[in-house]
Amino acid sequence: MLIVDDSLIIRRTIERAVAKIGGYETRSAEDGAAAMRIFEDFKPTIVTLDITMPDMDGLACMRAMLERDPSVAIIIVSARKEKATAVEAVKRGARGFLPKPFSESDFREELADVARRKGG
Amino acid sequence: MLRSLRGGRLVAFAMLVIGFFVGTVSTIAVSAISAEIAAVSNKSTTDELLIGDERALASSIATDVVELQHANDRGQSPEATRAELVRVAGVFDDNLRALGHGGSVRLPSGNSVAIEPLGGDKVVGLMKTANDVWAHAYREIREEDTYATLAGAQVDRLASVVTHDTNEVAATFNELALAIGTDAESEIDELTARRTFFTALAVLSVLLVLGAIFNRIVIGGANIRRYSVQLGGLLERFSAKTSELFEAKRETDLIMSTVSQGLLLVDTTGVIAPQHSDEVRRIFRTEAIAGRTFLDLFRPLVPDKTLSVLTDYFALLQDPDRSDRLLAKINPFEELEVNFASAAGGFESRYLGVVFRRIYAPGGAVARIFIAVTDSTASVEFEKKLRAVEQKKDRQFGLLLSIINLDERSLDDFTSTVREQLDAMNEALRAEDFSGKARPAGLTARLETLARAAHNVRGNAATIGLDVFVRDCETFEDHLGELKRHAAPGGDAFLGLLLVLANLRQHLEELVELRSTLSVVRAEARTHAPAALHARPVDFASELQVLASAIGRTLGKSVSVRAEALDLTPLESVQRRALMDVLIQLTRNSVVHGIETRDLRVQRGKPPSGTIVIASAIADDAYTIEYRDDGAGIDLERIRKRIVAQGLATASAVETMTESQIIATIFEPAFATVSDHASHAGRGMGLDMVKETILARLDGKMSVDSHAGRHLYFRFRIPLKILAPQPS
């Protein structure tokens, strides 16, 4: 799993949650460029992508990732009220949505949902 | 029953067939017999008539013969009569022959008629008799061809033979006629009987047919009855179902009309089905709902950008591959602000909440979407109000905490200060300065005024620990800072400043309210428990300590108040209060101005914590209070500068002033009332109040001693006569 977020707290929260679930190797990136580099190498099956990061067009990053691998499941992290962006992202292929702020259990739920649908 | 039915049907069918057959045959027979009867009757009548005619002929022959006789008697020529007689006899003979053997009979009218020979044994026998007799007579008639030579006797003999024979023939004919009649009668009787038989048969067949039909009818009737009962049952069930449906529809309609949500159903193209709840019309303020698309309802209510997001979302809803959960999370309709054009020409904002539930077809595709719309404006507004109230509550609580340790005078001072400054700021903040055009002249000066005022308030607030005001002023100063750089400030900068001022004013009002509430509470406490204060002077010391600690904390200083030797009991309550106010003021001043921060104190070789010592004593006719702090004392230089700055004395004059003179100055109202915008003291140190209380109200004396950098010392002497009577 690839975690793309400029907030350390969020990265840590997700890493902790994933570690508890087990079964995933994680890598993290702080910005879009690093994210794309790691994406190429690591070829994750799931990506959590913060689309509110200032220095990056989250949707463009998402599109790039989906172009490389259309089967990757992307969970977008966004501000709670930013429904317009969320709708746009899902329209373009995002599979999950995590509004900030979220807890570990919120993340676990979303991951379970996305992983389940991935199989189906 | 079915089997008997079938058997019955067969019987009925057989009856029907037999009936028809027999009926037909009988009817034909009856007709035939009737015809025959008629024929027989006719024939017998005709025959009788003919016989009658023949007899009449016979009679006429007899008459002719008699005529002949008479003619002979008269001597006339018998030729004509004879010819006639022969002729008539000839006719009679022919007719008789015809009657016996068939042929044509000549009628008296001259016509001939063909007849069949007479039948019947008796008749034939009679005919023979008649023939025989006639033959005799006829021979006689014909033989006499010599009528000329006819003697009278011959004629007589002819006449008697013929008359006799013709009479016999006539009698025979009578018998014949009778016989013919009888024969005919008996034949007719027989025929009639046969006819009756056939008639009966015909009637029977009719009965058979009728019976068959009736049978069918009856059975059919039974069937029909049975079917009609079944039908009736069906109809009943049908009408029961119908009324059930009707009832169900009525209940649905009732639900739809009373449910407080807008419920509707759309298909995959977004078209709304006709069955929706009444609330939908109320929410969207239109009657046109069914048949329109769901997105269409929102078109006049939201901006285009929002509408495009809604459209995208609706498209996502149609895709069964998108999880319900995800879609619910990103639902942009969840709390949507919509704007209705209001009648007055403006617009009205409302909040709508929409949730979707997808209904799947058996194949897995999305077939319908069930939608619930709620007008959640009331709850949204309520939440907003709640949040505002909570914020206000927090603020007020914060304020309360800040001021609970403050005495009222300090609060009042602060309040007046802020009011003054606010006025000054209002004065300096002019709308025309913010037209957005060229920087107006004098703006810089006015901005300076605003900055000074804000700084002043901030300082005062910081002193007594009212963070709310500190924050307000900081925001204000930030705004001003930005404006300083701006070439031509515009309306929104103006607005920004106005808003902060408005906040400031509001917080001030809240403070005033709190203060008055607090003073009421305190007054209550004092009136109800003066004994407490009376009996435990030590508590006042604790109060002072709490005050010193509270203020000290905000300023990074630690101060301890030692007032074990303070005994306020000899004083009357009014005096006591006045003195307490004084002590509070002095404590404040010590903590705020006098006592240094820990670091500074350590630097100066002092203990890090400052100390205030208060003691009281009674001597002779006086009550003495001593107050001492180990702070920095009075900074004479600073005072000197301030005196000059205030214009109270010239710089040179100030140089010549003694220390006590300078110190005395700080007790002057004039000195104290002027607020120094460069210092943090705000309204001075309240020492004018101290002076007034001690000297004027308590009629006492006051002395001050200050050692710069070391201590500050006050002593108050109050004459005993003012004091309460001593307990003996």
Side-chain angles (χ1 to χ4, degrees):
Chain A
M1 176 182 317
L2 173 58
I3 304 166
V4 184
D5 204 304
D6 59 351
S7 152
L8 179 65
I9 299 172
I10 293 191
R11 289 204 301 275
R12 286 268 191 273
T13 307
I14 298 179
E15 281 162 10
R16 265 203 308 277
V18 173
K20 279 195 195 144
I21 298 171
Y24 289 97
E25 202 190 318
T26 62
R27 294 259 197 284
S28 301
E30 268 182 55
D31 60 62
M36 289 314 297
R37 274 201 307 278
I38 301 178
F39 187 82
E40 300 274 2
D41 277 335
F42 184 45
K43 299 192 185 1
T45 50
I46 301 183
V47 178
T48 49
L49 180 59
D50 183 343
I51 54 178
T52 65
M53 292 197 286
D55 295 330
M56 178 189 82
D57 178 2
L59 295 180
C61 189
M62 192 177 82
R63 187 177 41 239
M65 288 185 184
L66 282 171
E67 263 171 33
R68 301 263 195 287
D69 176 7
S71 72
V72 65
I74 300 183
I75 301 173
I76 48 172
V77 174
S78 161
R80 188 167 290 275
K81 290 286 185 194
E82 272 300 297
K83 297 286 174 60
T85 333
V87 170
E88 185 63 30
V90 171
K91 183 177 155 190
R92 298 214 199 161
R95 300 260 198 88
F97 174 58
L98 267 175
K100 293 196 276 201
F102 59 87
S103 64
E104 268 187 44
S105 60
D106 290 334
F107 175 76
R108 263 206 301 281
E109 257 182 60
E110 191 62 22
L111 183 61
D113 196 46
V114 168
R116 185 176 45 237
R117 304 205 108 247
K118 212 167 155 26
Chain B
M1 188 181 168
L2 203 60
R3 239 187 329 176
S4 80
L5 245 183
R6 252 200 290 169
R9 242 149 127 211
L10 220 55
V11 164
F13 186 65
M15 276 166 72
L16 205 66
V17 167
I18 290 171
F20 269 120
F21 181 67
V22 167
T24 313
V25 165
S26 316
T27 312
I28 293 172
V30 162
S31 333
I33 291 171
S34 295
E36 207 179 315
I37 289 175
V40 164
S41 173
N42 275 349
K43 185 161 196 288
S44 79
T45 310
T46 311
D47 286 348
E48 279 177 42
L49 277 173
L50 286 176
I51 296 295
D53 286 346
E54 201 72 342
R55 199 181 61 219
L57 212 59
S59 292
S60 79
I61 289 174
T63 310
D64 280 348
V65 164
V66 171
E67 190 65 39
L68 190 68
Q69 201 178 28
H70 284 165
N72 210 30
D73 286 341
R74 284 195 294 272
Q76 282 167 326
S77 167
E79 264 325 303
T81 314
R82 193 185 152 256
E84 179 65 23
L85 180 68
V86 171
R87 193 189 65 80
V88 171
V91 169
F92 186 86
D93 191 57
D94 287 338
N95 285 352
L96 194 64
R97 210 180 306 275
L99 282 170
H101 304 286
S104 76
V105 168
R106 191 156 314 163
L107 292 172
S109 59
N111 295 335
S112 306
V113 54
I115 59 161
E116 297 291 309
L118 294 176
D121 293 337
K122 196 159 182 228
V123 169
V124 167
L126 287 171
M127 280 295 294
K128 186 165 187 323
T129 313
N131 267 320
D132 287 341
V133 173
W134 168 252
H136 182 247
Y138 197 39
R139 228 188 358 258
E140 288 290 324
I141 291 172
R142 275 189 310 170
E143 236 178 73
E144 297 299 320
D145 46 358
T146 48
Y147 276 78
T149 58
L150 258 173
Q154 278 174 308
V155 171
D156 286 338
R157 197 185 56 81
L158 180 71
S160 74
V161 166
V162 170
T163 307
H164 171 260
D165 284 348
T166 52
N167 281 342
E168 218 177 301
V169 167
T172 312
F173 274 167
N174 281 341
E175 279 188 58
L176 201 63
L178 229 79
I180 289 173
T182 317
D183 277 354
E185 265 181 42
S186 60
E187 204 177 334
I188 284 174
D189 282 345
E190 201 189 307
L191 283 176
T192 307
R194 227 189 290 170
R195 190 172 69 172
T196 308
F197 169 72
F198 277 114
T199 305
L201 212 57
V203 168
L204 179 66
S205 65
V206 166
L207 283 179
L208 266 179
V209 168
L210 282 178
I213 292 173
F214 185 70
N215 185 321
R216 294 320 304 143
I217 287 175
V218 163
I219 289 184
N223 273 358
I224 285 174
R225 221 187 349 273
R226 207 169 41 79
Y227 290 146
S228 80
V229 165
Q230 279 182 2
L231 198 62
L234 271 171
L235 277 171
E236 250 180 62
R237 275 202 297 281
F238 183 67
S239 83
K241 264 277 168 292
T242 309
S243 74
E244 260 178 48
L245 278 169
F246 196 69
E247 193 59 34
K249 170 127 199 332
R250 218 172 54 78
E251 282 172 15
T252 309
D253 283 346
L254 189 66
I255 291 172
M256 284 311 205
S257 70
T258 55
V259 77
S260 64
Q261 283 181 309
L263 303 177
L264 48 119
L265 206 63
V266 297
D267 65 14
T268 51
T269 63
V271 174
I272 302 170
Q275 185 76 333
H276 58 264
S277 74
D278 293 351
E279 189 65 14
V280 177
R281 290 198 291 275
R282 283 196 278 275
I283 289 176
F284 287 99
R285 306 191 184 183
T286 171
E287 291 298 311
I289 303 286
R292 289 175 70 185
T293 66
F294 186 65
L295 288 168
D296 215 31
L297 289 176
F298 284 91
R299 203 178 304 274
L301 307 177
V302 293
D304 288 341
K305 242 177 32 170
T306 310
L307 193 65
S308 95
V309 172
L310 300 179
T311 312
D312 285 344
Y313 182 75
F314 202 76
L316 287 176
L317 275 177
Q318 314 297 336
D319 184 355
D321 288 335
R322 312 287 186 171
S323 91
D324 285 337
R325 213 175 137 271
L326 178 63
L327 288 172
K329 275 171 119 180
I330 64 169
N331 181 3
F333 287 89
E334 197 174 34
E335 193 180 286
L336 190 63
E337 187 183 335
V338 297
N339 296 309
F340 290 96
S342 81
F347 64 89
E348 188 187 333
S349 282
R350 295 197 81 80
Y351 289 89
L352 298 185
V354 188
V355 290
F356 302 89
R357 184 147 179 96
R358 304 197 284 182
I359 298 171
Y360 295 93
V366 176
R368 290 273 187 285
I369 301 178
F370 178 72
I371 302 178
V373 185
T374 320
D375 185 329
S376 53
T377 311
S379 73
V380 166
E381 297 289 321
F382 181 70
E383 259 186 63
K384 277 192 195 157
K385 274 207 194 95
L386 202 63
R387 247 171 295 162
V389 164
E390 274 180 20
Q391 279 171 358
K392 182 168 177 199
K393 199 163 58 81
D394 287 340
R395 197 169 50 238
Q396 287 191 316
F397 194 64
L399 258 182
L400 191 64
L401 282 179
S402 312
I403 72 174
I404 200 153
N405 288 319
L406 295 178
D407 58 297
E408 289 163 11
R409 185 162 285 258
S410 314
L411 267 179
D412 289 341
D413 288 350
F414 179 73
T415 313
S416 323
T417 307
V418 174
R419 267 201 230 282
E420 266 180 36
Q421 297 308 313
L422 275 176
D423 288 340
M425 282 149 114
N426 258 333
E427 170 69 26
L429 188 62
R430 295 185 196 159
E432 48 272 26
D433 285 342
F434 297 86
S435 58
K437 302 197 190 69
R439 199 183 175 83
L443 176 64
T444 315
R446 285 192 281 279
L447 289 179
E448 266 308 304
T449 312
L450 288 169
R452 277 204 304 274
H455 190 79
N456 191 341
V457 173
R458 175 151 73 106
N460 271 295
T463 305
I464 55 176
L466 294 176
D467 293 335
V468 167
F469 293 90
V470 172
R471 278 198 298 275
D472 284 339
C473 293
E474 279 171 358
T475 313
F476 194 80
E477 285 175 81
D478 286 345
H479 276 89
L480 284 178
E482 279 187 33
L483 274 176
K484 278 203 180 95
R485 292 188 282 278
H486 217 291
D492 40 305
F494 180 62
L495 214 56
L497 292 174
L498 264 187
L499 279 173
V500 180
L501 278 190
N503 277 346
L504 207 48
R505 231 177 254 285
Q506 194 195 333
H507 298 156
L508 184 65
E509 295 313 319
E510 286 173 12
L511 180 67
V512 167
E513 214 182 289
L514 271 175
R515 177 236 180 276
S516 70
T517 311
L518 211 51
S519 79
V520 167
V521 167
R522 278 190 184 143
E524 293 280 328
R526 278 196 206 126
T527 53
H528 286 140
L533 284 171
H534 209 121
R536 298 174 297 169
V538 159
D539 273 346
F540 179 60
S542 311
E543 267 186 51
L544 287 178
Q545 176 62 70
V546 168
L547 177 67
S549 305
I551 300 175
R553 243 198 316 279
T554 64
L555 299 170
K557 303 176 186 175
S558 117
V559 180
S560 71
V561 176
R562 291 192 14 224
E564 306 87 20
L566 177 65
D567 179 12
L568 293 167
T569 48
L571 299 171
E572 251 181 21
S573 60
V574 178
Q575 277 77 31
R576 197 179 305 126
R577 287 245 304 282
L579 262 181
M580 273 161 44
D581 281 349
V582 165
L583 289 173
I584 288 172
Q585 182 64 37
L586 293 179
T587 309
R588 265 191 65 214
N589 284 350
S590 295
V591 179
V592 173
H593 302 292
I595 294 178
E596 314 90 327
T597 59
R598 298 171 69 101
D599 295 340
L600 199 51
R601 287 179 69 83
V602 167
Q603 248 179 42
R604 288 185 180 169
K606 292 182 172 177
S609 218
T611 311
I612 297 172
V613 180
I614 310 174
S616 67
I618 296 181
D620 306 323
D621 54 351
Y623 176 90
T624 319
I625 282 199
E626 290 180 317
Y627 176 101
R628 182 202 188 90
D629 78 26
D630 65 351
I634 293 174
D635 186 349
L636 288 170
E637 262 315 298
R638 227 185 79 217
I639 307 271
R640 264 192 251 266
K641 287 204 183 77
R642 209 166 145 182
I643 289 172
V644 173
Q646 304 295 32
L648 292 170
T650 61
S652 49
V654 137
E655 290 304 318
T656 62
M657 280 166 82
T658 64
E659 190 179 303
S660 29
Q661 277 174 321
I662 291 181
I663 288 173
T665 327
I666 66 178
F667 288 91
E668 292 302 311
F671 183 85
T673 42
V674 175
S675 37
D676 184 350
H677 51 260
S679 82
H680 285 282
R683 227 178 191 287
M685 293 168 282
L687 290 171
D688 58 324
M689 174 278 270
V690 167
K691 181 171 162 191
E692 196 221 317
T693 307
I694 302 293
L695 299 179
R697 285 173 62 192
L698 296 173
D699 197 28
K701 290 200 175 63
M702 184 174 82
S703 59
V704 182
D705 176 46
S706 160
H707 192 147
R710 290 282 179 80
H711 69 248
L712 178 62
Y713 171 78
F714 287 93
R715 187 169 66 187
F716 308 119
R717 270 185 66 159
I718 298 164
L720 266 173
K721 56 181 185 305
I722 302 276
L723 303 173
Q726 295 303 303
S728 44

